[in-house]
């Protein structure tokens, strides 16, 4: 048992983690809205976007993803949002990534994609996810998580733009963005709504920024633009040297893991970049890395990754509820 306690675990949090711990925001008439995932991403984003950004995003989605020549003029905003429930978030970012980086489009179109649509998306992601704070439920679940599972040798990888984890652990002096002795590092390879950019391209913690560093959730995330101009927080790994360092150090942490726990992460097909990192880690490891899936759809995800990464099924452990998982002890899972 003592040996198990010394094992290093890497915790990987996806969008389902923030949703699963109960992140919500208030709306008119006392209602509550859960933090968005794919199924309600556009509905939530457009609800909280500024009028200008909403107009830009809706016009883009209607034209390129719904086949409309223009936004339907007589449809109420709440009804318009329902048109986009089946539009893949990853596919939208992939489209923009490819179009912005290709040499075959006109300068006018590139300006439209980058300076209008991309900027509108980033500003709207910022304003939307800033609404989701910690609450009594997120505090209780993450308190159990930190008490029962986290050790100083561990590392956390969060693909979430939001700050629900950080705000829920705010009384714990354990975590740190990056690497720091005696603190649990939190790596956010897709960026964060409280990350701004300094003139030398390094990250600065800025909770008030309206144009945070947001890396596109797409397999084209390694594509860069024509250099950093100080005005755009472009969503590509080599657009910002600090993001590249985060990915490199994240992989180093995964290399030493005895177990990798995926909480609310569904292994989206579009995120081939992270899949390549995981595949490399699993291949290089001298021992079997234990894989633990915490997700309501855990069985389907387990089947998917076993086939995809040639993982033995007996080496995968399934849990279906984040709250009950966090009440378990570390020794119960490894």
């Amino acid at each position: 048992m003592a040996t198990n306690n010394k094992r290093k675990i890497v915790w990987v949090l996806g969008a389902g983690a923030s949703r699963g711990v109960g992140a919500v925001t208030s709306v008119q008439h006392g209602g509550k809205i859960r933090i968005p995932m794919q199924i309600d991403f556009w509905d939530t984003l457009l609800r909280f976007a500024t009028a200008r950004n909403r107009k830009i995003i809706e016009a883009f989605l209607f034209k390129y993803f719904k086949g409309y020549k223009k936004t339907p003029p007589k449809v109420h905003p709440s009804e318009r949002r329902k048109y986009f429930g089946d539009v893949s978030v990853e596919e939208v970012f992939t489209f923009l990534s490819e179009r912005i980086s290709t040499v075959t489009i006109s300068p006018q179109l590139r300006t439209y994609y980058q300076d209008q649509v991309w900027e509108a998306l980033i500003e709207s992601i910022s304003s939307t996810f800033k609404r989701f704070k910690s609450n009594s439920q997120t505090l209780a679940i993450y308190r159990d998580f930190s008490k029962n599972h986290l050790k100083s040798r561990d590392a956390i990888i969060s693909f979430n733009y939001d700050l629900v984890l950080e705000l829920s652990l705010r009384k714990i002096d354990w975590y740190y963005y990056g690497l720091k002795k005696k603190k649990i590092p939190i790596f956010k390879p897709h960026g964060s709504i409280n990350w701004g950019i300094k003139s030398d391209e390094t990250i600065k913690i800025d909770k008030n920024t309206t144009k945070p560093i947001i890396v596109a959730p797409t397999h084209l995330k390694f594509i860069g633009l024509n250099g950093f101009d100080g005005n755009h927080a472009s969503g590509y790994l080599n657009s910002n040297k600090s993001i590249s360092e985060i990915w490199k150090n994240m992989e180093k942490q995964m290399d030493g893991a005895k177990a990798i726990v995926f909480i609310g992460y569904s292994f989206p097909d579009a995120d081939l970049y992270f899949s390549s990192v995981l595949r490399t880690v699993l291949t290089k490891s001298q021992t079997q890395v234990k894989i633990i899936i915490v997700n309501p759809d855990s069985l389907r995800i387990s089947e998917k990754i076993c086939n995809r990464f040639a993982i033995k099924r007996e080496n995968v452990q399934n849990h279906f509820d984040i709250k009950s998982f966090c009440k378990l002890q570390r020794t119960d899972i490894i």
Side-chain angles (χ1 to χ4, degrees):
M1 194 68 70
T3 302
N4 281 343
N5 284 336
K6 293 180 180 179
R7 289 180 173 177
K8 174 181 178 177
I9 299 179
V10 171
W11 307 88
V12 181
L13 276 57
S18 294
R19 184 106 163 202
V21 299
V24 296
T25 189
S26 301
V27 291
Q28 290 181 337
H29 310 300
K32 300 284 186 182
I33 291 181
R34 294 190 294 173
I35 198 166
M37 295 177 63
Q38 166 62 53
I39 191 172
D40 50 11
F41 179 85
W42 298 112
D43 182 75
T44 307
L45 190 82
L46 294 169
R47 175 192 289 267
F48 297 128
T50 64
R52 175 185 177 276
N53 286 338
R54 185 185 307 116
K55 182 178 180 180
I56 292 172
I57 296 169
E58 285 184 347
F60 168 74
L61 293 177
F62 271 119
K63 181 176 181 178
Y64 288 94
F65 288 87
K66 304 306 294 186
Y68 286 69
K69 291 187 179 300
K70 62 179 181 178
T71 302
K74 297 182 179 180
V75 180
H76 191 273
S78 62
E79 292 298 316
R80 288 203 302 268
R81 297 197 300 267
K82 296 178 182 179
Y83 281 69
F84 310 124
D86 61 347
V87 176
S88 167
V89 178
E90 287 84 2
E91 191 170 346
V92 169
F93 276 101
T94 298
F95 175 88
L96 288 170
S97 301
E98 193 279 331
R99 292 287 83 193
I100 291 172
S101 62
T102 187
V103 297
T104 60
I105 66 169
S106 67
Q108 291 82 5
L109 264 181
R110 180 177 287 107
T111 297
Y112 167 65
Y113 294 136
Q114 180 176 341
D115 294 350
Q116 293 190 49
V117 180
W118 180 265
E119 292 293 322
L121 279 171
I122 297 304
E123 290 178 11
S124 299
I125 286 173
S126 176
S127 62
T128 296
F129 284 98
K130 281 179 179 178
R131 297 179 64 95
F132 294 91
K133 313 289 187 181
S134 60
N135 57 50
S136 58
Q137 185 171 337
T138 70
L139 288 167
I141 294 175
Y142 276 128
R143 182 173 59 245
D144 287 338
F145 173 60
S146 62
K147 180 179 69 174
N148 297 331
H149 292 295
L150 282 181
K151 299 293 183 183
S152 59
R153 66 188 67 90
D154 292 348
I156 297 173
I157 298 169
S158 173
F159 286 101
N160 296 324
Y161 304 133
D162 64 73
L163 304 177
V164 175
L165 171 70
E166 294 95 312
L167 293 173
S168 298
L169 294 178
R170 64 181 183 269
K171 293 183 179 180
I172 299 174
D173 192 34
W174 283 2
Y175 68 84
Y176 178 76
Y177 289 135
L179 297 169
K180 196 168 185 177
K181 190 176 181 180
K182 295 184 179 179
K183 291 197 176 186
I184 297 175
I186 297 179
F187 298 95
K188 300 189 80 169
H190 280 176
S192 185
I193 57 172
N194 65 334
W195 288 4
I197 302 178
K198 297 180 182 178
S199 58
D200 63 354
E201 300 186 42
T202 58
I203 294 172
K204 62 178 179 179
I205 306 302
D206 182 2
K207 65 180 182 180
N208 297 317
T209 182
T210 58
K211 294 183 180 180
I213 298 175
I214 299 295
V215 176
T218 162
H219 67 282
L220 297 176
K221 59 169 56 74
F222 55 85
I223 291 177
L225 303 182
N226 298 321
F228 176 78
D229 62 9
N231 295 317
H232 299 99
S234 301
Y236 309 92
L237 294 187
N238 58 353
S239 295
N240 183 284
K241 61 185 181 183
S242 295
I243 291 292
S244 298
E245 284 296 309
I246 287 170
W247 279 80
K248 182 172 70 175
N249 288 323
M250 176 193 77
E251 184 170 347
K252 287 181 180 178
Q253 293 292 313
M254 293 175 68
D255 279 339
K258 299 299 182 183
I260 303 177
V261 183
F262 296 92
I263 302 179
Y265 183 75
S266 58
F267 293 86
D269 293 334
D271 204 353
L272 295 178
Y273 203 93
F274 178 70
S275 293
S276 68
V277 171
L278 178 60
R279 192 181 302 279
T280 302
V281 168
L282 295 176
T283 302
K284 289 194 305 183
S285 178
Q286 299 299 310
T287 59
Q288 283 283 347
V289 179
K290 190 174 186 66
I291 302 296
I292 300 168
I293 308 295
V294 185
N295 198 300
D297 201 13
S298 177
L299 292 178
R300 183 192 65 80
I301 294 172
S302 296
E303 185 70 20
K304 176 181 179 180
I305 66 169
C306 285
N307 294 330
R308 187 171 175 183
F309 299 100
I311 299 171
K312 294 180 180 179
R313 283 166 175 76
E314 60 267 24
N315 201 47
V316 179
Q317 187 180 121
N318 295 293
H319 297 267
F320 305 99
D321 177 69
I322 297 175
K323 183 177 181 179
S324 58
F325 172 80
C326 290
K327 289 185 175 298
L328 296 173
Q329 296 299 310
R330 184 181 176 97
T331 51
D332 294 332
I333 65 171
I334 60 171

